[in-house]
Amino acid sequence: MKIVIGNKNYSSWSLRAWLALAATGADFEEIVIPLDTPDTKAEIARHTGSGRVPVLLDDGVTVWDSLAIIEYLAERYPEAGLWSADPTIRAHQRCICAEMHSGFAALRHYYPMNIRRSVDDRPATPEVQADIDRICFLWREALEESSGEGPYLFGGFSAEDAMFAPVVSRFETYNVPVGDLERGYMDAILTNPLFERWAQAAKQETWTIESEEV
Ligand SMILES: N[C@@H](CCC(=O)N[C@@H](CS)C(=O)NCC(=O)O)C(=O)O
C-alpha cells in the first residue's frame, strides 16, 4: 500500500487520508510530492489524472480523493472502526465528513493549514466566523451525543476525526477562540500520536509556499 501526498506542512487533504490510513495499522509507504513547484503537476500525473493529492495505491487499485480513500480503507480494514457499527451514528459521521469535504470554503481559504507557523491570532471575518460557528456546533453535537465514550467525536478515533484534524490544526495555529468542549477535542487531536507523527515531519520540511504563509 502506498499513499501519494503533498507537503505535510500544508496539504490538509493529504493529512486526512494519511491519518485514516495510519489509523488502520496497515504497513504503507509514502510518496511525498512538494506542491506549488514547476514539477508538481507532472509528478502528480504519474499517479492520477485528477491533478490532486492524496492518492492511495493498493495492488493495482488507484483511489484518489480523500473521502473515497477513507471509504476504501473502511471497507478494506473494517476492524479499524473508521465508521461506527451503528447505522444511526454512521449516518451522522458520514454527514459531517461530507459537510467538511464539500464546505467551509471561507475558512479553508482564510486559514490555510500551516503546521509549523507560530501560533498567532488571525481574527476571523464574518464569513469565516460563520464556518467556525458551524464546525463548533457539529463538534459539540457529536461530543454530547457520545458523551463519556472517548476523547474523539464519536468515542474512538474514526473517519470524521481524520476529516476535521486539519481544522483543529488551523484553529490552533490561528488561535481561534473556542469553548471548553471544543478545546478538549482539539487537545485530543493535537496529542494523538499519529497526528504528532505527521506534525513532527511537517516541521522538518523546508519547502515554503508563500501564498499559504498568512
Ligand atoms: N477533493 C480533493 C481535494 C484534494 C486537493 O485539493 N489537494 C490539493 C493539496 S491539499 C492538491 O492536490 N493541489 C494540487 C496542486 O497544488 O497542484 C480531496 O478530498 O482529496
Side-chain angles (χ1 to χ4, degrees), residues 39-117:
D39 299 332
T40 301
K41 277 194 189 325
E43 285 298 314
I44 295 176
R46 295 175 60 194
H47 308 286
T48 174
S50 72
R52 299 264 189 266
V53 287
V55 182
L56 186 75
L57 307 169
D58 183 24
D59 201 16
V61 180
T62 300
V63 190
W64 65 95
D65 191 284
S66 56
L67 199 47
I69 292 171
I70 288 172
E71 290 287 4
Y72 181 83
L73 292 169
E75 287 181 6
R76 180 98 156 63
Y77 301 100
E79 67 287 353
L82 288 173
W83 297 126
S84 169
D86 178 328
T88 306
I89 296 175
R90 203 159 63 237
H92 193 162
Q93 289 175 300
R94 283 200 162 108
C95 286
I96 63 177
C97 284
E99 191 169 341
M100 178 69 249
H101 194 242
S102 60
F104 308 122
L107 178 128
R108 291 196 282 113
H109 182 73
Y110 187 74
Y111 289 144
M113 190 176 89
N114 182 353
I115 290 176
R116 66 172 177 245
R117 180 186 186 270

Side-chain angles (χ1 to χ4, degrees), residues 3-213:
I3 187 162
V4 185
I5 54 179
N7 315 36
K8 289 188 173 174
N9 189 54
Y10 301 110
S11 184
S12 58
W13 296 108
S14 299
L15 169 57
R16 293 175 169 101
W18 185 95
L19 276 175
L21 175 54
T24 68
D27 282 336
F28 65 93
E29 286 173 38
E30 293 172 4
I31 301 171
V32 180
I33 299 179
L35 302 175
D36 203 33
T37 79
D39 299 332
T40 301
K41 277 194 189 325
E43 285 298 314
I44 295 176
R46 295 175 60 194
H47 308 286
T48 174
S50 72
R52 299 264 189 266
V53 287
V55 182
L56 186 75
L57 307 169
D58 183 24
D59 201 16
V61 180
T62 300
V63 190
W64 65 95
D65 191 284
S66 56
L67 199 47
I69 292 171
I70 288 172
E71 290 287 4
Y72 181 83
L73 292 169
E75 287 181 6
R76 180 98 156 63
Y77 301 100
E79 67 287 353
L82 288 173
W83 297 126
S84 169
D86 178 328
T88 306
I89 296 175
R90 203 159 63 237
H92 193 162
Q93 289 175 300
R94 283 200 162 108
C95 286
I96 63 177
C97 284
E99 191 169 341
M100 178 69 249
H101 194 242
S102 60
F104 308 122
L107 178 128
R108 291 196 282 113
H109 182 73
Y110 187 74
Y111 289 144
M113 190 176 89
N114 182 353
I115 290 176
R116 66 172 177 245
R117 180 186 186 270
S118 309
V119 173
D120 195 15
D121 290 8
R122 180 163 163 85
T125 63
E127 294 76 20
V128 174
Q129 189 59 49
D131 282 353
I132 293 168
D133 292 346
R134 174 66 183 162
I135 289 168
C136 286
F137 173 82
L138 292 175
W139 289 358
R140 283 195 307 273
E141 186 179 52
L143 290 164
E144 280 160 7
E145 242 178 66
S146 62
S147 60
E149 274 183 43
Y152 300 109
L153 291 182
F154 287 98
F157 187 90
S158 36
E160 65 286 358
D161 302 303
M163 286 301 278
F164 280 110
V167 173
V168 168
S169 171
R170 289 162 152 122
F171 280 14
E172 177 72 5
T173 302
Y174 300 101
N175 219 7
V176 173
V178 296
D180 290 348
L181 204 53
E182 297 94 303
R183 183 69 243 178
Y185 174 61
M186 285 174 59
D187 290 341
I189 293 288
L190 294 169
T191 57
N192 174 289
L194 298 177
F195 180 85
E196 284 183 330
R197 200 167 112 199
W198 175 282
Q200 280 308 323
K203 287 173 188 166
Q204 304 300 317
E205 289 179 348
T206 52
W207 302 295
T208 299
I209 302 180
E210 280 309 325
S211 58
E212 311 285 279
E213 296 288 331

